[in-house]
Amino acid sequence: NFDLYFFQHGSYLYQNIFIKYSEIEHADINFVFNDYTKKLFEILGAKKVYSVGSILFNKSIKKRKKEYDFLYITQVHDYIGNLQYVDFPNSLHSFDGYELYQRHKSIIQLFGTKFKDKKIIIRVHPAVVTTGVYVPFWELAEPYPNITIDVSIPIHTLIEKSEYIISDYFTTEFINRDLHYKRDIILFQGAPTPLPEETIEDMKKMFILVDTVEDLESKVNNIENITKDRQRYDDIIEYYSSKKCDTKK
């Protein structure tokens, strides 16, 4: 006889249907990053759950010369073509990626025309050039010298080189506790990857939430005022990110 230990590997804010059947059902003990996931696992029937933080996703944000005003982290789940699946209860993925594409196209045009003075790097998942549907990010951005498209530089490195962050979803990078004190993040809260309803009030304190590209434009226009002396909520940050503890120990 031996015990099976499972380690959390993603953010799990979006409660995908695989968590219970691929991690909880088989595990004798689950190690998770934070108390949000601990509570979720207990609700889903986990036998023993320990909140132990994360080493991999809790690297310090080093000071680097800023190369970009904004980093945009894109969701590409909707672009994975015949590998598409419905992964969580309130998932609003479109199977042709059209709705998400309209957002990405609009944001490229927004920064290319109205925010020409702001440098933005758009981090695209490699799936769009490997296993998924090809999306013409490069062709859309080509007329605009202030826009860079990248598929390979680690997101952590791009975070260090960027002043502000925009994201389509709560990516695993946001498990990093230090990030929430060192950067301000504009987060899309609705389709195609809507935040769970029970987290919205906390997410309003953790991120700058937007619904539409028009909302984004308004926030970018006023970003310095919005982020000046912006309050940080230690208890909420710790609840959803990496627990403040000696993870290795």
Side-chain angles (χ1 to χ4, degrees):
N1 288 337
F2 56 89
D3 288 335
L4 285 176
Y5 296 81
F6 278 65
F7 288 81
Q8 179 177 349
H9 72 273
S11 79
Y12 295 177
L13 191 78
Y14 308 102
Q15 298 164 21
N16 73 69
I17 60 177
F18 306 112
I19 292 174
K20 181 174 181 178
Y21 302 108
S22 64
E23 294 196 30
I24 292 174
E25 290 275 305
H26 305 292
D28 295 292
I29 292 175
N30 290 99
F31 292 123
V32 298
F33 298 152
N34 51 50
D35 288 342
Y36 170 81
T37 313
K38 184 175 188 286
K39 183 179 178 183
L40 170 66
F41 273 41
E42 288 169 346
I43 290 169
L44 292 173
K47 302 176 191 78
K48 291 182 181 178
V49 193
Y50 297 97
S51 182
V52 297
S54 169
I55 293 175
L56 182 63
F57 294 112
N58 206 37
K59 301 171 186 171
S60 62
I61 307 293
K62 296 174 184 172
K63 281 193 173 183
R64 288 180 187 253
K65 181 184 176 185
K66 297 294 185 297
E67 295 182 22
Y68 307 99
D69 297 293
F70 288 88
L71 160 65
Y72 180 22
I73 302 168
T74 62
Q75 186 267 97
V76 297
H77 187 125
D78 289 36
Y79 296 146
I80 60 175
N82 62 1
L83 299 174
Q84 178 65 274
Y85 56 91
V86 177
D87 53 353
F88 59 99
N90 63 337
S91 167
L92 292 170
H93 296 303
S94 61
F95 282 74
D96 58 2
Y98 184 76
E99 185 178 356
L100 186 63
Y101 175 69
Q102 292 307 312
R103 175 193 290 174
H104 292 157
K105 181 180 177 182
S106 297
I107 290 173
I108 288 171
Q109 291 173 341
L110 175 67
F111 274 87
T113 58
K114 294 188 177 178
F115 296 130
K116 291 179 182 179
D117 60 327
K118 300 184 188 304
K119 291 185 71 176
I120 183 171
I121 182 161
I122 300 177
R123 179 54 161 77
V124 176
H125 195 282
V128 302
V129 289
T130 54
T131 54
V133 176
Y134 179 75
V135 184
F137 283 100
W138 292 265
E139 290 83 349
L140 289 170
E142 191 175 1
Y144 311 120
N146 62 318
I147 301 176
T148 303
I149 309 294
D150 179 77
V151 292
S152 60
I153 301 171
I155 292 176
H156 184 84
T157 302
L158 294 177
I159 286 169
E160 291 181 333
K161 292 182 175 183
S162 304
E163 192 72 42
Y164 302 105
I165 300 166
I166 302 165
S167 184
D168 284 330
Y169 67 114
F170 190 117
T171 170
T172 308
E173 291 291 331
F174 298 163
I175 291 296
N176 188 333
R177 188 174 62 251
D178 194 37
L179 171 62
H180 297 280
Y181 294 97
K182 300 279 181 67
R183 294 291 184 276
D184 295 285
I185 305 166
I186 300 173
L187 180 67
F188 279 95
Q189 65 176 340
T193 315
L195 294 170
E197 283 184 23
E198 68 274 12
T199 70
I200 293 291
E201 291 307 310
D202 286 346
M203 294 297 105
K204 285 178 182 175
K205 295 176 180 177
M206 205 168 169
F207 299 94
I208 301 160
L209 298 185
V210 293
D211 263 320
T212 64
V213 176
E214 288 72 28
D215 289 344
L216 175 67
E217 181 180 354
S218 173
K219 294 293 191 292
V220 172
N221 263 322
N222 298 287
I223 194 69
E224 290 182 11
N225 291 330
I226 292 168
T227 58
K228 186 181 179 184
D229 301 322
R230 185 170 155 257
Q231 187 174 351
R232 264 48 176 191
Y233 297 84
D234 297 347
D235 55 338
I236 292 174
I237 289 170
E238 180 160 343
Y239 188 65
Y240 292 97
S241 62
S242 178
K243 186 175 180 178
K244 190 182 283 185
C245 61
D246 186 337
T247 298
K248 189 173 180 181
K249 185 178 178 182

